[in-house]
Amino acid sequence: MKSLAILGSTGSIGVSTLEIVAAHPERFRVTALTAGHNVTLLEQQIRTFRPEMVAVFDVVDAGRLRDNLGADAPRILSGRDGLIACAAQSGAQLVVSAIVGAAGLEPTLAAIEAGIDVALANKETLVAAGEVVMREVVRRGIHLFPVDSEHSAIFQSLAGHRKDDVRRLILTASGGPFRDLSAAELERATPDDALSHPNWSMGRKISIDSATMMNKGLEVIEAHWLFDLSPEKIAVHVHPESIVHSMVEYVDGAVIAQLGIPDMKTPIALALSWPERLPLDLPPLDLCQLGRLHFSEPDQERFPCLALAYRALRTGGTAPAVLNAANEVAVEAFLDYRLGFTSIARVIAAVLDRHVPTPADSLTEVLAADAGARVSARNLIKSASGGIR
Ligand code: NAD
Ligand code: MG
């Protein structure tokens, strides 16, 4: 029986994780759950999974939950400290890090520092603080299991091979809902258009990241930290069917890939049970019915976010944390109809231009760069003279 703390349990990844837990009650026990504002769903999850500890964003929501649950209430905490306590002190053997954005960084790091294995969906943690996080992973000797489907595919394709024999990693990208739009059509794209992803059902922020292809940029940086490879050794292929989840090319020309239908339950389950595989009730991959799979180079002109991410990774230091924070602010503004779709990349580029990178070898440095980039991005979005809209 493995005990789990699930951070971000009301989100897309959190809910899928709990579905796996519910299907395998003999394998998993939930010790902690955390959520942002969806207290209604969290309350149902508490009644079903009976965690010992819970954290919500807002202290008022914590009080409401306590009242509603009465004598059945577990220990209910709130805010940043509550999140960190749930990550590090629930007695879990594995923390599922599925909060969206840099908000997931401190609790994820707290779990690692407490010596707990982590199943990482929250890619922003590695983008912002890859150096700090990986240093702690090594120092504490914990396992960091990738949940992101591409990184899970690479993790599987690397198993049993020598890292020195890797020529490059090839991350696949669906291309998102706007893959075939012209530059003029992208200028007019709305949040509703962007939220309807062809292959994957995901939270709002990652859906927009997928439409701009910043998601792939963040994943390139995530892959750099997880697999310790330079940006030159990480390529991206657009693959609209999302069947090949990613590949590893070796020095002898062999390419090893992992395939499956696009459903996050497969990589989540593997991160929960590695090296075992859990039986999942998913439709099988039918390659004969599919007939063909397509691959192409990403269009860096229509989707400049991917190049921005490579640029931040090559610059190093605090640049990726700044890229990530500017992206979070710009995506939020786009979702609120305060910024046009193509201006998301313009804001990020302008914030990166203004940033003087410093080493990102401490949490303090990373958080300061993140905060500064947020201010810079908000000012750019507000100022009509910025020419950003
Ligand atoms: P989501 O928006 O559906 O869920 C996010 C969860 O985090 C929710 O439980 C929410 O309440 C909580 N949360 C949000 N802001 C918070 C804050 N400030 N403090 C505390 N909790 C907060 O997101 P998602 O799609 O499940 O994605 C979660 C993470 O997993 C992201 O980093 C995303 O990039 C990554 N990921 C998601 C998918 C996917 O298919 N959804 C695939 C790969 C990676
Ligand atoms: Mg992914």
Side-chain angles (χ1 to χ4, degrees), residues 147-179:
V147 169
D148 219 343
S149 56
E150 295 76 4
H151 306 75
S152 177
I154 290 170
F155 176 75
Q156 294 172 64
S157 303
L158 284 171
H161 295 86
R162 285 165 15 106
K163 199 192 128 207
D164 286 350
D165 295 338
V166 173
R167 185 183 286 155
R168 60 176 185 158
L169 309 180
I170 303 168
L171 298 181
T172 53
S174 69
F178 297 162
R179 192 184 61 238

Side-chain angles (χ1 to χ4, degrees), residues 123 127 205 209 214-222 324:
K123 65 193 83 183
V127 172
K205 192 257 177 183
D209 287 346
M214 180 56 95
N215 184 47
K216 213 48 53 182
L218 300 178
E219 290 181 356
V220 167
I221 302 174
E222 182 185 14
N324 179 64

